[in-house]
Amino acid sequence: DFVINNLSFKLNKGEKIAIVGHNGSGKTTLIKLILKFYKLTEGSIYINGINYDEVNPFSLRKNMAVVFQDYQIYAVSIAENILMRKVTSKEDEELVYNSLEKVGLLEKVKSLKNGIYTEMTREFDASGEAFSGGERQRIVVARVFASNADLYILDEPTASLDPLAEEKINKLILSTATNKTIIIIAHRLSTVVDTDKIYLMKHGTFTEVGTHDELLSLNGDYALMFNTQKQLYESHNE
């Protein structure tokens, strides 16, 4: 059996889309195909009219900023964790500060003795900072803001934040990266209502496509998932 079947869609430059669906529906597999981590056994992917088979995977990935659920934090400075390389100029420092500001960590990092040069762990440096899970996720999202990529791919990187914090970061990404193309994979549907288009994935294909309002009015699987989550969240907060 194929993980992905009969799936066809077009992503335009600057478009912000969300891919939603239950675990095992094929969402992460699709992302790994877009990243050229997996090869197609059938069908084709094209970028600007060029077949993926002819595209160098490294030049392709250079134009993509990707954050997966199972992200890594490295035993280097905050700045290096965000840039994923050494700081070489004042511009680099500014980029780090701007990215930290966008994810709401600027004040915290500025209050640390070594600022953006504070080690992210205590693995090699006893004076390193132990960040919470939510703060580590924000650092990872800051990597996206610091990159010069044209396509942002976010595979549930903020899943362990509380729903309001996750919604805030997703809204921030959508509103700040106006000229970027964005794919967000999400379990919490409330965090992606502002995307241009939502694709509901089921058994490896898209079964419902549209804006949040269009999918609610369809009254299908998306509406059921959204309303169920909404009720669970509301009862949890009563």
Side-chain angles (χ1 to χ4, degrees):
D1 280 2
F2 291 121
V3 177
I4 289 181
N5 293 289
N6 303 321
L7 188 146
S8 177
F9 78 112
K10 186 177 180 180
L11 181 60
N12 298 308
K13 186 175 170 60
E15 201 172 11
K16 322 280 186 265
I17 70 160
I19 301 173
V20 302
H22 294 297
N23 281 344
S25 58
K27 302 185 300 291
T28 298
T29 301
L30 175 61
I31 295 306
K32 289 183 176 174
L33 283 168
I34 290 170
L35 289 163
K36 221 174 170 181
F37 288 169
Y38 296 160
K39 281 191 82 165
L40 287 167
T41 44
E42 282 181 19
S44 305
I45 301 175
Y46 291 89
I47 181 164
N48 296 336
I50 302 162
N51 192 306
Y52 245 48
D53 292 342
E54 296 162 32
V55 180
N56 178 298
F58 300 105
S59 68
L60 184 76
R61 292 175 203 142
K62 236 168 48 180
N63 289 304
M64 298 177 178
V66 189
V67 185
F68 286 112
Q69 268 177 305
D70 52 351
Y71 59 83
Q72 294 294 319
I73 290 289
Y74 303 99
V76 292
S77 72
I78 295 166
E80 286 174 280
N81 262 292
I82 290 173
L83 294 174
M84 298 298 281
R85 57 177 171 79
K86 290 205 176 298
V87 177
T88 58
S89 64
K90 269 270 176 269
E91 285 77 19
D92 280 352
E93 286 186 343
E94 281 306 310
L95 197 52
V96 172
Y97 287 131
N98 288 337
S99 304
L100 285 167
E101 187 172 21
K102 284 175 182 167
V103 296
L105 276 181
L106 184 60
E107 292 313 309
K108 163 150 186 162
V109 172
K110 277 188 161 177
S111 73
L112 302 173
K113 196 177 112 195
N114 295 318
I116 61 171
Y117 294 101
T118 304
E119 290 281 310
M120 276 286 301
T121 71
R122 293 185 179 140
E123 196 173 335
F124 302 121
D125 185 348
S127 67
E129 181 71 15
F131 286 88
S132 71
E135 287 169 338
R136 289 158 78 92
Q137 283 190 313
R138 288 169 191 269
I139 293 284
V140 170
V141 173
R143 282 178 190 161
V144 173
F145 286 124
S147 77
N148 195 28
D150 295 316
L151 173 63
Y152 291 175
I153 299 176
L154 303 152
D155 188 355
E156 296 198 274
T158 51
S160 74
L161 294 177
D162 68 76
L164 291 176
E166 183 181 22
E167 192 174 338
K168 193 176 169 188
I169 285 190
N170 277 0
K171 273 190 155 85
L172 180 78
I173 291 166
L174 293 170
S175 61
T176 310
T178 47
N179 60 334
K180 306 289 184 184
T181 309
I182 301 175
I183 300 173
I184 298 177
I185 290 185
H187 260 109
R188 289 188 194 135
L189 305 187
S190 61
T191 67
V192 295
V193 296
D194 295 329
T195 51
D196 299 324
K197 208 178 278 178
I198 297 168
Y199 292 82
L200 177 75
M201 203 166 192
K202 197 173 178 181
H203 308 308
T205 193
F206 293 140
T207 54
E208 295 177 19
V209 180
T211 63
H212 169 70
D213 290 338
E214 285 167 355
L215 293 186
L216 281 187
S217 64
L218 259 184
N219 219 12
D221 288 335
Y222 177 85
L224 179 66
M225 283 168 69
F226 182 82
N227 290 321
T228 305
Q229 286 186 8
K230 192 176 166 193
Q231 283 164 3
L232 282 171
Y233 185 56
E234 283 168 353
S235 62
H236 180 72
N237 280 298
E238 277 171 5

